């Protein structure tokens, strides 16, 4: 479709970088204004309302736009709703579990015979287990990272990739579709 154009990918990367930047700086300013005693008891998972979780979950739909990441969309929503970086990131990954498990199960069921005849089920299961372990370690690292750092390094990375794609498109090195 038209949205799969590399121009949309580049634009999604750049525009959502600005959204994540705004959300991160909004959250940092809000946290800086809080009195010290309120920072000892930040909003926690069990203080999240159904409405807040629903709004963050709905933001996953924005990631249907190429170049907008699911986690970036949901983390930005969490930051705008008043969560700190760690809680917004943790909720983002928790909300991703149902969608990712359902997508994986659908692929597994839809391609059951093909997997058995080509790759095989043992390598598929091994890949699934390794993906889980590496994903868990990566998320643990990310949560530790965002507890002490802003999202600026991710924003810069996204801007560089978006800019690189735009340059490659303009130069005619890669096609738009």
């Amino acid at each position: 479709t038209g949205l799969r154009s590399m121009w949309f990918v580049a634009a999604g990367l750049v525009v959502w970088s600005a959204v994540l930047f705004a959300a991160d700086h909004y959250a940092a300013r809000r946290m800086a204004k809080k009195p010290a005693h309120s920072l000892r008891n930040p909003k926690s998972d069990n203080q999240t309302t159904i409405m807040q979780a629903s709004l963050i979950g709905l933001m996953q739909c924005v990631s249907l736009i190429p170049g907008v990441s699911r986690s970036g969309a949901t983390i930005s929503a969490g930051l705008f709703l008043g969560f700190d970086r760690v809680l917004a990131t943790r909720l983002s990954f928790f909300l991703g579990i149902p969608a990712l498990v359902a997508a994986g199960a659908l692929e597994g069921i839809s391609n059951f015979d093909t997997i058995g005849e080509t790759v095989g089920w043992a390598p598929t299961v091994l890949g699934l287990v390794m993906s889980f372990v590496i994903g868990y370690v990566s998320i643990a690292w990310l949560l530790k990272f965002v507890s002490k750092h802003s999202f600026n390094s991710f924003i810069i990375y996204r801007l560089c990739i978006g800019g690189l794609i735009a340059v490659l498109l303009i130069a005619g090195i890669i096609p738009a579709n």
Side-chain angles (χ1 to χ4, degrees):
T1 66
L3 284 179
R4 293 291 172 203
S5 165
M6 291 302 289
W7 285 109
F8 277 101
V9 173
L13 285 163
V14 171
V15 169
W16 210 263
S17 294
V19 172
L20 183 56
F21 178 82
D24 196 30
H25 285 272
Y26 168 78
R29 280 194 318 273
R30 191 186 63 258
M31 292 301 283
K33 291 180 182 178
K34 285 190 173 187
H37 70 336
S38 70
L39 295 177
R40 278 184 252 135
N41 297 315
K43 194 176 283 191
S44 65
D45 292 341
N46 61 0
Q47 294 173 321
T48 304
T49 67
I50 296 292
M51 181 60 79
Q52 290 168 326
S54 298
L55 288 171
I56 294 170
L58 281 173
M59 285 305 294
Q60 292 184 104
C61 296
V62 174
S63 68
L64 293 172
I65 299 169
V68 177
S69 72
R70 188 203 60 77
S71 57
T74 55
I75 289 170
S76 296
L79 293 171
F80 279 129
L81 288 172
F83 298 121
D84 64 28
R85 288 182 188 118
V86 174
L87 182 56
T89 303
R90 192 169 359 144
L91 284 172
S92 171
F93 286 105
F94 281 146
L95 286 170
I97 292 170
L100 296 172
V101 168
L106 178 62
E107 283 295 314
I109 291 167
S110 299
N111 297 302
F112 187 85
D113 293 334
T114 307
I115 292 170
E117 295 169 2
T118 56
V119 177
W121 280 102
T124 300
V125 171
L126 178 62
L128 185 65
V129 170
M130 291 306 296
S131 294
F132 174 81
V133 170
I134 292 169
Y136 187 85
V137 169
S138 298
I139 292 169
W141 174 85
L142 180 63
L143 290 172
K144 190 176 282 190
F145 180 86
V146 300
S147 71
K148 295 179 176 72
H149 301 89
S150 71
F151 288 105
N152 286 343
S153 56
F154 300 105
I155 292 165
I156 291 167
Y157 161 78
R158 291 176 55 83
L159 288 171
C160 289
I161 296 297
L164 177 63
I165 292 171
V167 167
L168 293 172
L169 286 166
I170 291 168
I173 296 171
I174 61 171
N177 290 325

